[in-house]
Amino acid sequence: MTVYIAREASKLWRKVCVETSVELQLLAEKWKLLLTGLLFQYIHGLAARGVHYLHRPGPTLQDLGYMILPELGRERGYISESLFTFVFLSFVLWTFHPFVYHSKRFYTVLLWWRILAFLVASQLLRIITFYSTQLPGPNYHCREGSKLARLPPPESIAEVLLINFPHGVIYGCGDLIFSSHMIFTLVFVRTYHKYGSKRYTVNLVVFLIDKKLPEMPDRSTGSQPMLPLNIKEKDGKPREENLKLLNGNSVDTADWRQRMQVNGTHGDDGNHVHSESAVNGVNR
């Protein structure tokens, strides 16, 4: 047991070292873009604080969403922030899983580069909208009578530039034409759906095809089977040549593999192995 743990720990350490080396090379190429995206998050926070100075409380506007899904209430306001914090932190941790797991479909640096690009575009549109149209905030701290509904004029430039986190982020007013929390959540969910859930779904389907179909009886009645399941070497012919005969063409397997790579049908090494196995009918 101790030997097994030591061997697996050694493999994990080598995996982390290799991934770190590759990611550092990508970071050296993309650090300016990543830094720009991070700096824009600060600019977005400054813009949200600036519109808070312009906010004026007023009657709560009628909203169909609040009628269908009533508000949680003042005493349950922590549920929303807790849920968003869980989504945010779990997604950040998930983006670093290629450092540990062998099956990967993306590089962490490139993924965050794309995420920040989408966030910058969305937040820029958000800044334009809430400065163009300022509505009274529906939150309890933004309503008439609350001390946080209006910010006193700043006494210095430092007061504007220094954002009180997390108080200044949670208790903002006047920037709710569409929510910043919703922007982050939608971008994170869409990213996971594209680079996470589909990978597991594809691997599961390929696994079932590879494991279950070879065990099924051949139901072809003299006709060519739909899938080349168990292609064995017969009459001295190699496996790939038999595959050509079953498919009824003479397409070169190397050319086929090259087209698969160009078309991007497999995004990582794990999917590549499963794809070749499913086509070549390799039984494991």
Side-chain angles (χ1 to χ4, degrees):
M1 185 65 180
T2 304
V3 176
Y4 174 78
I5 294 176
R7 183 172 65 252
E8 293 300 320
S10 177
K11 292 181 180 179
L12 178 61
W13 176 249
R14 288 197 301 268
K15 171 66 175 175
V16 172
C17 292
V18 171
E19 290 296 329
T20 302
S21 176
V22 175
E23 295 287 352
L24 288 177
Q25 295 178 16
L26 294 174
L27 183 61
E29 299 176 1
K30 304 294 185 181
W31 70 270
K32 294 182 180 179
L33 297 173
L34 292 174
L35 182 60
T36 302
L38 293 175
L39 288 177
F40 193 84
Q41 302 307 305
Y42 172 70
I43 296 175
H44 175 256
L46 287 182
R49 181 171 177 81
V51 79
H52 196 171
Y53 286 105
L54 303 176
H55 176 258
R56 296 295 180 266
T60 303
L61 302 179
Q62 292 187 359
D63 185 271
L64 182 60
Y66 277 99
M67 297 178 183
I68 298 176
L69 184 64
E71 58 190 13
L72 296 175
R74 188 191 300 269
E75 66 280 0
R76 299 185 184 89
Y78 68 92
I79 297 178
S80 174
E81 294 300 328
S82 300
L83 179 60
F84 174 75
T85 302
F86 171 77
V87 172
F88 186 91
L89 294 179
S90 60
F91 178 81
V92 171
L93 292 177
W94 172 79
T95 59
F96 289 91
H97 85 272
F99 285 82
V100 179
Y101 293 94
H102 290 280
S103 59
K104 62 177 295 183
R105 194 176 178 177
F106 60 85
Y107 293 98
T108 303
V109 170
L110 299 181
L111 185 73
W112 275 108
W113 171 53
R114 294 185 178 186
I115 291 173
L116 289 173
F118 273 97
L119 289 178
V120 167
S122 303
Q123 291 167 344
L124 182 60
L125 295 175
R126 181 172 187 261
I127 292 173
I128 294 174
T129 55
F130 64 60
Y131 269 104
S132 301
T133 304
Q134 298 163 21
L135 300 176
N139 290 334
Y140 291 101
H141 62 272
C142 298
R143 299 179 182 180
E144 190 70 48
S146 174
K147 296 181 180 180
L148 300 175
R150 299 188 183 188
L151 291 181
E155 299 179 356
S156 63
I157 188 64
E159 184 179 345
V160 179
L161 296 179
L162 296 178
I163 302 175
N164 185 10
F165 183 85
H167 188 274
V169 177
I170 297 176
Y171 295 101
C173 297
D175 60 340
L176 293 178
I177 286 189
F178 56 96
S179 171
S180 178
H181 286 35
M182 185 59 65
I183 291 176
F184 279 96
T185 302
L186 290 178
V187 171
F188 290 171
V189 170
R190 182 70 183 99
T191 302
Y192 178 78
H193 177 72
K194 181 176 179 60
Y195 295 100
S197 60
K198 283 190 175 181
R199 183 185 69 245
Y200 301 130
T201 304
V202 170
N203 285 347
L204 179 61
V205 172
V206 173
F207 173 79
L208 292 176
I209 292 177
D210 190 33
K211 294 297 182 181
K212 298 301 181 182
L213 288 183
E215 301 174 0
M216 297 174 61
D218 186 9
R219 291 177 293 180
S220 59
T221 57
S223 61
Q224 179 177 317
M226 296 180 62
L227 290 176
L229 301 179
N230 294 321
I231 306 176
K232 302 179 181 180
E233 297 185 4
K234 297 180 180 179
D235 302 329
K237 296 181 180 180
R239 187 186 308 271
E240 295 179 355
E241 186 176 351
N242 287 326
L243 176 61
K244 296 178 185 179
L245 295 176
L246 281 176
N247 292 334
N249 54 49
S250 58
V251 178
D252 190 2
T253 306
D255 295 337
W256 181 84
R257 291 176 180 171
Q258 184 177 2
R259 289 197 299 270
M260 290 282 288
Q261 295 176 357
V262 171
N263 294 332
T265 53
H266 54 281
D268 56 277
D269 296 336
N271 290 340
H272 175 68
V273 173
H274 284 298
S275 300
E276 288 191 355
S277 301
V279 174
N280 293 335
V282 178
N283 294 326
R284 301 173 189 165

